[in-house]
Amino acid sequence: MPLNFTAIDFETANGSAASACSVGLVKVADGSIVARDSWLIRPPLGHDEFLAWNIKIHGITPAMVIEAPLWADQQERILEFAAGDAFVAHNAGFDMGVMKSAATASGMPVPESRWADSLRIARKTYHLDSYRLPSAAMAAGFEDFQHHNAAADAEACAAIVVHAAKRHEAADLEHLLKICSAQFLRIGPAAEAEKQLDAWWR
């Protein structure tokens, strides 16, 4: 099986996971990057305040997103780019939280999706003092990128997974996760129902 996935990174306007203000996407097929895209997002009402700290991190201001489509108009675009791929993110819990919270705040269903965490993969692949994205990306040979630019961060994430797969001689993403003692994470109604059922049985 080939190494196929979509790397994703969100930046947020404030501490709310629903406040996505930009997304970066990188599609990998057969172990090579085949497509890239990124765009701005106008956060949903009630989650649209831009904090100075967040602006300092990513450089995105309220004026830059005032004409951008809302999450409700962009969720499908993200899913169409991935075209059924598993998503991969560095510290995936954050990006999964954005996907869930932005959908919920926009009155939309949380999309069914599988996720893998390049942070976990990096920890099982490299011996580093820090496993933050810049350090892990450097270990994978991907250097001098603009950290906290969603497009650049998504590409760095993709580079880590591709390099790790080669290093571990993994056939595909599922095989790589198994080697790294990890597994796919899931969000969406089906995943939530399974979680509730598991809690009930316990």
Side-chain angles (χ1 to χ4, degrees):
M1 292 289 291
L3 183 67
N4 298 333
F5 63 90
T6 291
I8 187 168
D9 181 78
F10 290 110
E11 298 298 328
T12 56
N14 54 62
S16 167
S19 69
C21 60
S22 71
V23 61
L25 296 156
V26 172
K27 192 171 187 65
V28 172
D30 295 331
S32 298
I33 292 175
V34 296
R36 300 173 176 84
D37 207 348
S38 63
W39 57 84
L40 295 173
I41 302 169
R42 184 157 48 100
L45 189 65
H47 302 269
D48 52 351
E49 179 185 4
F50 276 73
L51 298 185
W53 174 252
N54 294 66
I55 294 172
K56 182 179 179 181
I57 289 173
H58 51 56
I60 301 169
T61 66
M64 293 169 66
V65 305
I66 197 166
E67 298 295 334
L70 290 161
W71 176 273
D73 302 312
Q74 301 209 36
Q75 178 170 291
E76 189 59 32
R77 183 179 175 186
I78 293 171
L79 300 177
E80 286 177 356
F81 183 96
D85 281 349
F87 289 106
V88 178
H90 204 73
N91 189 20
F94 171 81
D95 299 275
M96 291 168 64
V98 171
M99 185 82 88
K100 290 170 62 177
S101 298
T104 301
S106 302
M108 303 179 70
V110 176
E112 297 284 356
S113 49
R114 296 180 306 155
W115 293 70
D117 194 341
S118 61
L119 175 60
R120 178 63 180 264
I121 291 169
R123 283 176 171 158
K124 294 292 184 176
T125 303
Y126 312 117
H127 298 287
L128 305 173
D129 293 330
S130 168
Y131 290 91
R132 293 179 64 249
L133 185 59
S135 300
M138 184 175 293
F142 189 83
E143 304 179 32
D144 299 325
F145 68 98
Q146 186 181 350
H147 188 31
H148 293 302
N149 172 286
D153 283 359
E155 189 160 354
C157 173
I160 291 166
V161 176
V162 170
H163 184 264
K166 290 178 180 176
R167 186 162 175 168
H168 292 297
E169 298 182 346
D172 57 20
L173 184 56
E174 185 172 9
H175 186 202
L176 177 60
L177 291 176
K178 186 175 181 180
I179 291 169
C180 295
S181 303
Q183 59 186 357
F184 283 115
L185 308 169
R186 293 173 56 210
I187 60 172
E192 191 62 32
E194 286 183 13
K195 188 186 300 183
Q196 291 177 0
L197 183 62
D198 182 61
W200 184 83
W201 277 107
R202 289 184 183 182

Coordinates of all heavy atoms in Angstrom, one line a residue, residues 33-99:
I33 N 4.8 14.8 -2.4 CA 3.8 15.9 -2.4 C 3.2 16.1 -3.8 O 4.0 16.3 -4.7 CB 4.4 17.2 -1.8 CG1 4.8 17.0 -0.4 CG2 3.5 18.4 -2.0 CD1 5.5 18.2 0.2
V34 N 1.9 16.1 -3.9 CA 1.3 16.3 -5.2 C 0.4 17.5 -5.3 O 0.0 17.9 -6.3 CB 0.4 15.0 -5.6 CG1 1.3 13.8 -5.7 CG2 -0.7 14.7 -4.5
A35 N 0.1 18.1 -4.1 CA -0.7 19.3 -4.1 C -0.5 20.1 -2.8 O -0.3 19.5 -1.7 CB -2.2 19.0 -4.3
R36 N -0.7 21.4 -2.9 CA -0.6 22.3 -1.7 C -1.7 23.3 -1.9 O -2.0 23.8 -3.0 CB 0.8 23.0 -1.7 CG 2.0 22.2 -1.6 CD 3.2 23.1 -1.7 NE 4.5 22.4 -1.5 CZ 5.1 21.7 -2.5 NH1 4.6 21.7 -3.7 NH2 6.3 21.1 -2.2
D37 N -2.2 23.8 -0.7 CA -3.2 24.9 -0.7 C -3.2 25.5 0.6 O -2.9 24.8 1.6 CB -4.6 24.4 -1.2 CG -5.4 25.5 -1.8 OD1 -4.9 26.7 -1.7 OD2 -6.4 25.2 -2.4
S38 N -3.6 26.7 0.7 CA -3.8 27.4 2.0 C -4.7 28.6 1.8 O -4.8 29.2 0.7 CB -2.5 27.8 2.6 OG -1.8 28.8 1.8
W39 N -5.4 29.0 2.8 CA -6.3 30.2 2.7 C -6.7 30.7 4.0 O -6.5 30.0 5.1 CB -7.5 29.9 1.8 CG -8.4 28.7 2.3 CD1 -9.4 28.8 3.3 CD2 -8.3 27.4 1.9 NE1 -9.9 27.6 3.5 CE2 -9.3 26.7 2.6 CE3 -7.6 26.7 1.0 CZ2 -9.5 25.3 2.5 CZ3 -7.8 25.3 0.8 CH2 -8.8 24.6 1.5
L40 N -7.2 31.9 4.1 CA -7.7 32.5 5.3 C -9.1 32.1 5.6 O -9.9 31.8 4.7 CB -7.6 34.0 5.2 CG -6.2 34.6 5.1 CD1 -6.3 36.1 4.8 CD2 -5.4 34.3 6.3
I41 N -9.5 32.1 6.8 CA -10.8 31.8 7.3 C -11.3 32.9 8.2 O -10.6 33.3 9.1 CB -10.8 30.4 8.1 CG1 -10.3 29.3 7.2 CG2 -12.2 30.1 8.6 CD1 -10.0 28.0 7.9
R42 N -12.6 33.3 8.1 CA -13.2 34.2 9.0 C -13.8 33.4 10.1 O -14.7 32.6 9.9 CB -14.2 35.1 8.3 CG -14.8 36.2 9.2 CD -15.4 37.3 8.3 NE -16.2 36.9 7.2 CZ -17.5 36.9 7.2 NH1 -18.2 37.3 8.3 NH2 -18.2 36.5 6.1
P43 N -13.3 33.6 11.3 CA -13.9 32.8 12.5 C -15.4 33.1 12.7 O -15.8 34.2 12.4 CB -13.1 33.2 13.7 CG -11.8 33.8 13.1 CD -12.2 34.4 11.8
P44 N -16.1 32.1 13.2 CA -17.5 32.3 13.4 C -17.8 33.3 14.5 O -16.9 33.5 15.4 CB -18.0 30.9 13.9 CG -16.8 30.2 14.3 CD -15.7 30.7 13.5
L45 N -18.9 33.9 14.5 CA -19.3 35.0 15.4 C -19.3 34.4 16.8 O -19.7 33.3 17.1 CB -20.8 35.4 15.2 CG -21.3 36.6 15.9 CD1 -20.5 37.9 15.6 CD2 -22.8 36.8 15.7
G46 N -18.7 35.2 17.7 CA -18.5 34.7 19.1 C -17.1 34.1 19.3 O -16.7 33.9 20.5
H47 N -16.4 33.8 18.3 CA -15.1 33.3 18.3 C -14.1 34.1 17.5 O -13.1 33.6 17.1 CB -15.1 31.8 17.9 CG -16.0 30.9 18.7 ND1 -15.6 30.3 19.8 CD2 -17.3 30.7 18.5 CE1 -16.7 29.6 20.3 NE2 -17.7 29.8 19.5
D48 N -14.5 35.3 17.1 CA -13.8 36.1 16.1 C -12.9 37.2 16.7 O -12.4 38.0 15.9 CB -14.8 36.6 15.1 CG -16.0 37.4 15.8 OD1 -16.1 37.4 17.0 OD2 -16.7 38.0 15.0
E49 N -12.7 37.2 18.0 CA -11.8 38.2 18.5 C -10.4 37.8 18.3 O -10.0 36.7 18.5 CB -12.1 38.4 20.0 CG -11.1 39.4 20.6 CD -11.3 39.5 22.2 OE1 -12.0 38.7 22.7 OE2 -10.6 40.4 22.8
F50 N -9.6 38.7 17.8 CA -8.2 38.4 17.5 C -7.3 39.0 18.7 O -7.3 40.2 19.0 CB -7.7 39.1 16.2 CG -8.0 38.3 15.0 CD1 -9.2 38.2 14.5 CD2 -6.9 37.6 14.4 CE1 -9.5 37.4 13.4 CE2 -7.2 36.8 13.2 CZ -8.5 36.8 12.7
L51 N -6.7 38.1 19.4 CA -5.8 38.5 20.5 C -4.5 38.9 20.0 O -3.9 38.3 19.1 CB -5.7 37.3 21.5 CG -7.0 36.8 22.2 CD1 -6.7 35.8 23.3 CD2 -7.8 38.0 22.8
A52 N -3.9 39.9 20.7 CA -2.6 40.4 20.3 C -1.5 39.3 20.3 O -0.6 39.2 19.4 CB -2.1 41.5 21.3
W53 N -1.6 38.3 21.3 CA -0.6 37.2 21.3 C -0.7 36.4 20.1 O 0.3 36.0 19.5 CB -0.9 36.4 22.6 CG 0.0 35.2 22.7 CD1 -0.4 33.9 22.5 CD2 1.4 35.1 22.9 NE1 0.7 33.0 22.6 CE2 1.8 33.8 22.9 CE3 2.3 36.1 23.2 CZ2 3.1 33.4 23.1 CZ3 3.7 35.7 23.4 CH2 4.0 34.4 23.4
N54 N -1.9 36.0 19.7 CA -2.1 35.2 18.5 C -1.6 35.9 17.2 O -0.9 35.3 16.4 CB -3.5 34.8 18.3 CG -4.0 33.9 19.4 OD1 -4.1 34.3 20.6 ND2 -4.3 32.6 19.1
I55 N -1.9 37.2 17.1 CA -1.4 38.0 16.0 C 0.1 38.0 15.9 O 0.7 37.9 14.9 CB -2.0 39.4 16.0 CG1 -3.5 39.4 15.9 CG2 -1.4 40.3 14.9 CD1 -4.2 40.8 16.1
K56 N 0.7 38.2 17.1 CA 2.2 38.2 17.2 C 2.7 36.9 16.7 O 3.8 36.8 16.0 CB 2.6 38.4 18.6 CG 4.1 38.5 18.8 CD 4.5 38.8 20.2 CE 6.0 38.9 20.4 NZ 6.4 39.1 21.8
I57 N 2.0 35.7 17.0 CA 2.5 34.4 16.6 C 2.4 34.2 15.1 O 3.4 33.8 14.4 CB 1.8 33.3 17.3 CG1 2.1 33.3 18.8 CG2 2.0 32.0 16.7 CD1 1.3 32.4 19.6
H58 N 1.2 34.5 14.5 CA 1.1 34.1 13.1 C 0.9 35.3 12.1 O 1.0 35.1 10.9 CB -0.1 33.2 12.9 CG -1.4 33.7 13.5 ND1 -2.0 34.9 13.2 CD2 -2.2 33.1 14.4 CE1 -3.1 35.0 13.9 NE2 -3.3 33.9 14.6
G59 N 0.8 36.5 12.6 CA 0.8 37.7 11.8 C -0.6 38.0 11.1 O -0.7 38.9 10.3
I60 N -1.6 37.2 11.4 CA -2.9 37.4 10.8 C -3.7 38.4 11.6 O -3.9 38.2 12.8 CB -3.6 36.1 10.6 CG1 -2.8 35.1 9.7 CG2 -5.0 36.3 10.0 CD1 -3.3 33.7 9.8
T61 N -4.3 39.4 11.0 CA -5.1 40.4 11.6 C -6.6 40.3 11.3 O -6.9 39.7 10.2 CB -4.6 41.8 11.3 OG1 -4.8 42.1 9.9 CG2 -3.1 41.9 11.6
P62 N -7.4 41.0 12.0 CA -8.9 41.0 11.7 C -9.1 41.5 10.3 O -10.0 41.0 9.5 CB -9.5 41.8 12.7 CG -8.6 41.8 13.9 CD -7.2 41.6 13.3
A63 N -8.4 42.5 9.9 CA -8.6 43.2 8.6 C -8.3 42.2 7.4 O -8.9 42.3 6.4 CB -7.7 44.4 8.4
M64 N -7.4 41.2 7.7 CA -7.0 40.3 6.6 C -8.0 39.3 6.4 O -8.1 38.7 5.3 CB -5.7 39.6 7.0 CG -4.5 40.6 7.1 SD -3.0 39.8 7.8 CE -2.6 38.6 6.7
V65 N -8.9 39.0 7.3 CA -9.9 37.9 7.1 C -11.3 38.5 7.0 O -12.3 37.7 6.8 CB -9.9 36.9 8.3 CG1 -8.5 36.4 8.6 CG2 -10.4 37.6 9.6
I66 N -11.5 39.8 6.9 CA -12.8 40.4 6.9 C -13.6 40.0 5.6 O -14.8 39.9 5.7 CB -12.7 41.9 7.0 CG1 -14.1 42.5 7.4 CG2 -12.2 42.6 5.8 CD1 -14.1 43.9 7.9
E67 N -12.9 39.7 4.5 CA -13.5 39.3 3.3 C -13.4 37.8 3.1 O -13.9 37.3 2.1 CB -12.9 40.0 2.1 CG -13.0 41.5 2.1 CD -14.5 42.0 2.0 OE1 -15.3 41.3 1.4 OE2 -14.8 43.1 2.5
A68 N -12.8 37.1 4.0 CA -12.7 35.6 3.9 C -14.0 34.9 4.2 O -14.7 35.4 5.0 CB -11.6 35.1 4.8
P69 N -14.2 33.8 3.5 CA -15.4 33.0 3.8 C -15.4 32.5 5.2 O -14.3 32.2 5.8 CB -15.4 31.9 2.8 CG -14.5 32.4 1.7 CD -13.5 33.2 2.4
L70 N -16.6 32.3 5.8 CA -16.7 31.7 7.1 C -16.3 30.2 7.1 O -16.3 29.6 6.0 CB -18.1 31.8 7.7 CG -18.5 33.3 8.1 CD1 -20.0 33.4 8.2 CD2 -17.8 33.7 9.4
W71 N -16.1 29.6 8.3 CA -15.9 28.1 8.3 C -17.0 27.4 7.6 O -16.7 26.4 6.9 CB -15.7 27.7 9.8 CG -15.6 26.2 9.9 CD1 -16.5 25.3 10.0 CD2 -14.3 25.5 9.9 NE1 -16.0 24.0 10.0 CE2 -14.6 24.1 10.0 CE3 -13.0 25.9 9.8 CZ2 -13.7 23.1 10.0 CZ3 -12.0 24.9 9.8 CH2 -12.4 23.5 9.9
A72 N -18.2 27.8 7.8 CA -19.3 27.1 7.2 C -19.2 27.0 5.7 O -19.8 26.0 5.1 CB -20.6 27.8 7.6
D73 N -18.6 27.9 5.1 CA -18.4 27.9 3.7 C -17.1 27.2 3.2 O -16.8 27.1 2.0 CB -18.4 29.4 3.1 CG -19.6 30.1 3.5 OD1 -20.7 29.5 3.3 OD2 -19.5 31.2 4.0
Q74 N -16.3 26.8 4.2 CA -15.0 26.3 3.9 C -14.7 24.8 4.3 O -13.8 24.2 3.8 CB -13.9 27.2 4.5 CG -14.0 28.6 4.0 CD -12.6 29.3 4.0 OE1 -11.6 28.7 3.7 NE2 -12.6 30.6 4.3
Q75 N -15.6 24.3 5.2 CA -15.3 23.0 5.7 C -15.3 22.0 4.5 O -14.4 21.1 4.5 CB -16.4 22.6 6.7 CG -16.3 21.1 7.2 CD -17.2 20.8 8.4 OE1 -17.0 21.4 9.5 NE2 -18.2 20.0 8.2
E76 N -16.2 22.1 3.6 CA -16.3 21.1 2.5 C -15.1 21.3 1.6 O -14.6 20.3 1.1 CB -17.6 21.4 1.7 CG -17.9 20.3 0.6 CD -18.0 18.9 1.2 OE1 -18.5 18.8 2.4 OE2 -17.6 18.0 0.5
R77 N -14.6 22.5 1.5 CA -13.3 22.7 0.7 C -12.2 21.9 1.3 O -11.4 21.3 0.5 CB -13.0 24.2 0.6 CG -11.8 24.5 -0.3 CD -11.6 26.0 -0.3 NE -10.4 26.3 -1.1 CZ -9.9 27.6 -1.2 NH1 -10.5 28.6 -0.6 NH2 -8.8 27.8 -1.9
I78 N -12.1 21.9 2.6 CA -11.0 21.2 3.3 C -11.2 19.7 3.0 O -10.2 19.0 2.7 CB -11.0 21.5 4.8 CG1 -10.6 22.9 5.0 CG2 -10.1 20.5 5.5 CD1 -10.8 23.4 6.5
L79 N -12.4 19.2 3.1 CA -12.6 17.8 2.9 C -12.4 17.3 1.5 O -11.9 16.2 1.2 CB -14.1 17.4 3.4 CG -14.4 17.7 4.9 CD1 -15.8 17.4 5.1 CD2 -13.5 16.9 5.8
E80 N -12.8 18.2 0.6 CA -12.6 17.9 -0.9 C -11.1 17.8 -1.2 O -10.7 17.0 -2.0 CB -13.3 18.9 -1.7 CG -14.8 18.8 -1.7 CD -15.5 19.9 -2.6 OE1 -14.7 20.8 -3.0 OE2 -16.7 19.9 -2.7
F81 N -10.3 18.7 -0.6 CA -8.9 18.6 -0.8 C -8.3 17.3 -0.3 O -7.5 16.6 -1.0 CB -8.1 19.8 -0.1 CG -6.7 19.8 -0.3 CD1 -6.1 20.6 -1.3 CD2 -5.8 19.0 0.4 CE1 -4.8 20.7 -1.6 CE2 -4.4 19.1 0.2 CZ -3.9 19.9 -0.8
A82 N -8.7 16.8 0.8 CA -8.2 15.6 1.4 C -8.7 14.4 0.6 O -8.0 13.4 0.5 CB -8.6 15.5 2.9
A83 N -9.9 14.5 0.1 CA -10.5 13.4 -0.8 C -10.4 12.0 -0.1 O -10.0 11.1 -0.7 CB -9.8 13.4 -2.1
G84 N -10.8 12.0 1.2 CA -10.8 10.7 1.9 C -9.6 10.3 2.6 O -9.5 9.3 3.3
D85 N -8.5 11.1 2.4 CA -7.2 10.8 3.1 C -7.4 10.9 4.6 O -8.2 11.7 5.1 CB -6.1 11.8 2.7 CG -5.5 11.6 1.4 OD1 -5.7 10.5 0.8 OD2 -4.8 12.5 0.9
A86 N -6.5 10.2 5.3 CA -6.4 10.5 6.7 C -5.6 11.9 6.8 O -4.8 12.2 6.0 CB -5.5 9.4 7.4
F87 N -6.0 12.6 7.8 CA -5.3 13.9 8.1 C -4.1 13.6 9.0 O -4.2 12.7 9.9 CB -6.2 14.9 8.8 CG -7.2 15.5 7.9 CD1 -8.5 15.1 8.0 CD2 -6.9 16.4 6.9 CE1 -9.5 15.6 7.2 CE2 -7.9 17.0 6.1 CZ -9.2 16.6 6.3
V88 N -3.0 14.3 8.8 CA -1.8 14.2 9.7 C -1.5 15.7 10.2 O -1.5 16.6 9.4 CB -0.6 13.6 9.0 CG1 0.6 13.6 10.0 CG2 -0.9 12.2 8.5
A89 N -1.3 15.8 11.5 CA -1.0 17.1 12.0 C 0.1 16.9 13.1 O 0.1 15.9 13.7 CB -2.2 17.8 12.6
H90 N 0.8 18.0 13.4 CA 1.8 17.9 14.5 C 1.1 18.4 15.7 O 0.7 19.5 15.8 CB 3.0 18.8 14.1 CG 4.3 18.4 14.8 ND1 5.0 17.2 14.5 CD2 4.9 18.9 15.9 CE1 6.0 17.1 15.3 NE2 6.0 18.1 16.1
N91 N 1.1 17.5 16.7 CA 0.2 17.7 17.9 C -1.2 17.7 17.4 O -2.0 18.7 17.5 CB 0.6 19.0 18.7 CG -0.2 19.1 20.0 OD1 -0.6 18.1 20.5 ND2 -0.3 20.3 20.5
A92 N -1.7 16.6 16.9 CA -2.9 16.5 16.2 C -4.1 16.8 17.0 O -5.2 17.2 16.5 CB -3.1 15.1 15.6
G93 N -4.0 16.7 18.4 CA -5.1 17.0 19.2 C -5.6 18.4 19.0 O -6.8 18.7 19.1
F94 N -4.7 19.3 18.8 CA -5.0 20.7 18.6 C -5.9 20.9 17.3 O -6.9 21.5 17.3 CB -3.8 21.6 18.5 CG -4.0 23.0 18.1 CD1 -4.5 24.0 19.0 CD2 -3.8 23.4 16.8 CE1 -4.8 25.3 18.6 CE2 -4.1 24.7 16.3 CZ -4.6 25.6 17.3
D95 N -5.4 20.3 16.2 CA -6.0 20.5 14.9 C -7.3 19.8 14.9 O -8.3 20.2 14.2 CB -5.1 20.1 13.8 CG -3.8 21.0 13.8 OD1 -3.8 22.1 13.2 OD2 -2.8 20.6 14.4
M96 N -7.4 18.6 15.5 CA -8.7 17.9 15.6 C -9.7 18.7 16.4 O -10.9 18.8 16.0 CB -8.5 16.5 16.3 CG -7.7 15.5 15.5 SD -7.2 14.1 16.5 CE -8.8 13.4 17.0
G97 N -9.2 19.4 17.4 CA -10.1 20.2 18.2 C -10.6 21.4 17.4 O -11.8 21.8 17.6
V98 N -9.8 22.0 16.6 CA -10.2 23.0 15.7 C -11.3 22.6 14.8 O -12.3 23.2 14.6 CB -9.0 23.6 14.9 CG1 -9.5 24.6 13.9 CG2 -8.1 24.3 15.9
M99 N -11.1 21.4 14.1 CA -12.1 20.9 13.2 C -13.4 20.6 13.9 O -14.5 21.0 13.4 CB -11.5 19.6 12.6 CG -12.4 19.0 11.5 SD -12.2 19.7 9.9 CE -10.8 18.7 9.2

